[in-house]
Amino acid sequence: MIMLISKIVRTGYCSSKRMMDIMGALIAIVLLSPVFLIVAIAIKLEDGGTVIFKQERSGENDTPFVIYKFRSMTERVASSSDSAYTWDNGVPDTFIFKDTGEQDARVTKVGSFIRKFSIDELPQFVNVLFGNMSLIGPRPEIVPITSCYSEKQKQRLMVKPGITGWAQINGRSDINNGEKIRLDLEYIEKQTAMLDIIIFFKTVWLVIAGKGSI
């Protein structure tokens, strides 16, 4: 009986979460459309390159999908292939993924600004509408890294990835892989509508403060 009730509650949560994802993404795209336009113009004026950066990420149940971001690096670097990883026993707990710092010469001037305030992530509201991402969930990892996941680490792929998540408000890009996995699995186990609301509002505060990056 307890298991049945738990399943019903879980089903209701998932259904309501999808509705909130759609509504939230639509509202965000409409309200932020002037920002989308300004950023797109700024990127074009700086180097004339493409506005949107596309990259393959691992989604729910390890299903690959294409994520959208505003391009923040030079055209040549942004279009280069991902690094190869060859870990045999899972991604090391000490690993911290940072493709480049905001002051790296490969990051454009516009890119440095939009990264600081996570503006480069805004196109992912389109991913939410498409259904391959949620507003809240574990951040989607690049395929070369998830291909090295251990069985335990693969558990973070059991749910739809999000624009922001439990790990992001507890360290954002500054925590190592072991801590990120722990926090993501904790979220998957405890996820509720109230926890999603807490994550959302704390994310807003962190973005305004410009701390770390999503």
Side-chain angles (χ1 to χ4, degrees):
M1 183 65 178
I2 295 178
M3 291 182 63
L4 177 60
I5 294 175
S6 177
K7 185 176 181 180
I8 293 174
V9 171
R10 180 76 173 179
T11 301
Y13 165 73
C14 291
S15 298
S16 61
K17 183 171 185 175
R18 180 56 187 156
M19 288 190 292
M20 291 304 297
D21 281 345
I22 295 173
M23 291 176 58
L26 285 173
I27 292 172
I29 290 173
V30 171
L31 293 180
L32 296 173
S33 56
V35 177
F36 277 70
L37 180 60
I38 292 171
V39 172
I41 292 174
I43 292 173
K44 272 293 184 183
L45 288 177
E46 181 166 15
D47 63 10
T50 58
V51 171
I52 298 297
F53 169 65
K54 301 177 183 179
Q55 186 181 52
E56 189 174 63
R57 298 287 180 99
S58 292
E60 186 176 12
N61 298 319
D62 203 16
T63 302
F65 73 98
V66 176
I67 196 173
Y68 303 112
K69 302 176 70 173
F70 281 123
R71 182 174 59 83
S72 60
M73 302 179 73
T74 59
E75 189 84 30
R76 181 181 61 81
V77 176
S79 61
S80 63
S81 59
D82 294 316
S83 301
Y85 299 95
T86 56
W87 299 299
D88 295 325
N89 300 306
V91 181
D93 287 346
T94 55
F95 174 72
I96 298 178
F97 178 75
K98 284 183 179 291
D99 55 358
T100 182
E102 289 174 6
Q103 302 305 316
D104 192 296
R106 297 172 297 177
V107 178
T108 64
K109 292 180 180 179
V110 173
S112 180
F113 178 82
I114 63 177
R115 279 188 172 204
K116 181 177 181 180
F117 295 99
S118 296
I119 297 172
D120 60 321
E121 310 286 353
L122 294 182
Q124 287 160 42
F125 284 115
V126 176
N127 283 113
V128 174
L129 287 181
F130 286 168
N132 43 40
M133 286 184 67
S134 177
L135 295 177
I136 310 296
R139 282 295 295 165
E141 191 63 90
I142 60 174
V143 175
I145 290 181
T146 59
S147 64
C148 298
Y149 271 1
S150 65
E151 289 304 312
K152 180 180 180 180
Q153 291 169 344
K154 288 179 181 178
Q155 292 177 28
R156 77 182 294 270
L157 304 175
M158 293 170 57
V159 298
K160 194 174 294 185
I163 293 179
T164 185
W166 188 234
Q168 278 58 53
I169 67 169
N170 285 284
R172 306 192 83 184
S173 61
D174 300 319
I175 59 176
N176 62 32
N177 181 70
E179 183 66 4
K180 180 174 69 175
I181 294 293
R182 184 188 70 79
L183 289 167
D184 284 338
L185 294 184
E186 184 177 290
Y187 168 77
I188 291 172
E189 179 182 353
K190 300 179 178 180
Q191 59 180 321
T192 61
M194 181 55 67
L195 181 57
D196 286 348
I197 292 172
I198 292 173
I199 293 172
F200 172 79
F201 282 107
K202 188 162 185 182
T203 297
V204 172
W205 162 246
L206 289 172
V207 169
I208 292 174
K211 296 181 179 180
S213 62
I214 294 178

